[in-house]
Amino acid sequence: MAEQPDIEQLQTTLLAEITAAGDDNVLEQIRIGALGKKGSISARMKGLGAMAPDERKAAGQSLNALKSVIADAIAARRDELQAAALEERLLTEIVDVTLPHRPVQTGSIHPVSQVWEEVVQIFGDLGFSVAEGSHIESDWYNFGALNIPDEHPARQEHDTFYFNPGPDGSRKVLRTHTSPVQIHTMEKSQPPIRIIAPGRTFRCDSDQTHTPMFHQIEGLVLDETTHLGNLKWCLLEFCKAFFETDEVKMRFRSSHFPFTEPSMEVDINCSWQDGQVKIGVGDDWLEILGSGMVHPNVIRAGGHDPDKVQGFAFGLGLDRIAMLKYGIPDLRAFFETDLRWLRHYGFSTLNVPTLAGGLS
Ligand code: DAH
């Protein structure tokens, strides 16, 4: 029992130190100094062995009690210190949500990318998937397989960029239209086929309505039953969704493309006022795409039997429909990377076009 006053004394000193500890490090030093291997309490524990048995029992009990009082006090002080530190941080890291935001100058989505995405959304909803092709094509895929044989006048019309001849004498071309994707798709897949292929195309031509690089969207449907009526419905649905009007009228004009038979060019009604075009009102007509039933020779070139499968194809100028929808007067400006133009005609990066949320 002789140890009791000493233990009480130790407890008082330690508790005072703990209360005074101002941070975690000091607290840790106190813990080591008392409860660590060589600490004041541990040293006393070691001394128990040399005591007489009854003395040892009482001293052991008081030392164990002291140990847990000190451990609890340290834990409690640690919690206090942590809560105080958090409180201090919260007071200094105040965010004033009423401050005006700093203007962030972000990039914008180019009208071509915007319209590309809009078209993908619309045809996606009609059950089409997106196919891709390469910009460099062989003569066969760009022309021959599409029923445009050598010496066909359509070859001249296309103002083709040719590469230098390869070792076998053949010359690759920069694709002049997206129609080669029709052939690649037919080669790779079995009907029913429903694809659109948006992408870059190239022709050696430049004026207010032509640029050497431009964009087209190809469409192809191939199965056992698809007919001209399906083509008309599909394109009408597309125009209504794209131009966001239910009023739009369409005119199918007989035309000629080597890869379709029969072939039609499609016009939509519009009005011109003060140099501005409005789609879906008025009695003027505007050509927007070429289309037709896929020519049997093309189906054959794609590896299918034209007596078993049939379908339609269409091709439209993406840049052209972007100009029409968003009132952009000059095609060349699309590719001049003028920041002022991009800021004016560009779209918000956060506004992804969807049918549900609105296309434009
Ligand atoms: N390939 C044609 C062009 O570039 C556009 C076209 C017309 C594509 C009719 C088609 C189509 O698939 O059926 O002028």
Side-chain angles (χ1 to χ4, degrees):
M1 282 297 161
E3 252 70 28
Q4 288 287 28
D6 174 41
I7 286 173
E8 264 171 36
Q9 168 80 47
L10 184 59
Q11 175 164 326
T12 315
T13 318
L14 284 172
L15 286 179
E17 283 175 13
I18 291 167
T19 314
D23 65 48
D24 246 11
N25 284 341
V26 177
L27 205 56
E28 181 61 5
Q29 289 312 315
I30 299 172
R31 189 191 66 77
I32 294 169
L35 304 170
K37 257 193 196 156
K38 294 180 183 156
S40 48
I41 300 180
S42 314
R44 283 174 173 73
M45 287 284 196
K46 278 185 198 137
L48 290 175
M51 291 181 186
D54 54 340
E55 224 183 346
R56 184 191 306 151
K57 191 175 169 207
Q61 273 172 1
S62 359
L63 274 173
N64 276 328
L66 172 65
K67 220 169 137 178
S68 61
V69 166
I70 295 305
D72 289 351
I74 289 176
R77 181 66 186 146
R78 185 162 281 144
D79 286 350
E80 254 173 52
L81 286 173
Q82 278 170 0
L86 180 65
E87 186 67 19
E88 199 181 309
R89 253 185 69 194
L90 290 177
L91 283 174
T92 51
E93 289 180 8
I94 283 175
V95 176
D96 184 351
V97 290
T98 65
L99 283 175
H101 74 88
R102 235 180 290 147
V104 184
Q105 182 60 59
T106 52
S108 58
I109 301 292
H110 194 284
V112 168
S113 309
Q114 171 80 14
V115 166
W116 180 314
E117 195 48 45
E118 289 178 22
V119 172
V120 167
Q121 288 293 324
I122 297 168
F123 279 106
D125 192 51
L126 291 171
F128 285 70
S129 50
V130 174
E132 287 182 330
S134 60
H135 296 161
I136 299 174
E137 282 290 2
S138 66
D139 197 274
W140 166 252
Y141 282 104
N142 196 74
F143 295 119
L146 289 159
N147 200 32
I148 312 175
D150 290 348
E151 310 311 327
H152 191 287
R155 293 206 177 202
Q156 273 72 56
E157 281 163 30
H158 277 209
D159 301 309
T160 312
F161 285 113
Y162 284 97
F163 284 77
N164 292 334
D168 63 352
S170 72
R171 296 200 293 174
K172 298 247 186 222
V173 303
L174 281 178
R175 67 175 181 190
T176 58
H177 50 179
T178 42
S179 302
V181 183
Q182 288 191 31
I183 307 296
H184 291 295
T185 306
M186 281 193 260
E187 283 179 344
K188 284 195 291 246
S189 28
Q190 287 303 316
I193 291 171
R194 263 179 230 107
I195 57 112
I196 55 162
R200 292 187 168 184
T201 47
F202 308 85
R203 289 185 204 179
C204 187
D205 200 358
S206 183
D207 60 32
Q208 195 178 345
T209 51
H210 297 91
T211 48
M213 188 281 295
F214 57 107
H215 299 84
Q216 285 192 338
I217 302 155
E218 195 73 17
L220 173 69
V221 172
L222 197 71
D223 58 26
E224 288 176 10
T225 55
T226 287
H227 52 72
L228 208 66
N230 302 130
L231 160 66
K232 290 178 80 169
W233 180 85
C234 200
L235 293 178
L236 182 63
E237 286 305 302
F238 165 72
C239 284
K240 286 199 291 196
F242 181 74
F243 291 109
E244 300 178 68
T245 164
D246 273 341
E247 306 296 317
V248 72
K249 282 186 250 166
M250 294 180 101
R251 180 169 78 172
F252 287 77
R253 239 180 327 105
S254 166
S255 182
H256 174 264
F257 299 106
F259 28 87
T260 45
E261 181 58 37
S263 303
M264 291 158 304
E265 279 173 311
V266 180
D267 303 336
I268 52 175
N269 74 315
C270 68
S271 77
W272 289 95
Q273 255 168 23
D274 311 321
Q276 287 274 0
V277 62
K278 268 211 178 121
I279 308 292
V281 292
D283 300 322
D284 284 329
W285 295 101
L286 200 72
E287 182 202 321
I288 58 154
L289 58 88
S291 65
M293 298 303 292
V294 184
H295 195 290
N297 288 350
V298 175
I299 297 181
R300 226 170 270 124
H304 298 279
D305 181 354
D307 289 331
K308 296 209 175 99
V309 291
Q310 58 184 34
F312 64 79
F314 58 89
L316 66 143
L318 204 155
D319 320 277
R320 185 170 158 73
I321 60 170
M323 289 169 79
L324 288 175
K325 180 166 180 181
Y326 294 112
I328 307 173
D330 189 336
L331 175 66
R332 284 169 300 192
F334 273 68
F335 310 116
E336 279 170 357
T337 61
D338 180 338
L339 268 183
R340 288 163 307 173
W341 187 92
L342 287 168
R343 283 191 190 127
H344 182 76
Y345 287 111
F347 291 83
S348 159
T349 44
L350 301 174
N351 234 339
V352 181
T354 60
L355 286 183
L359 285 177
S360 50

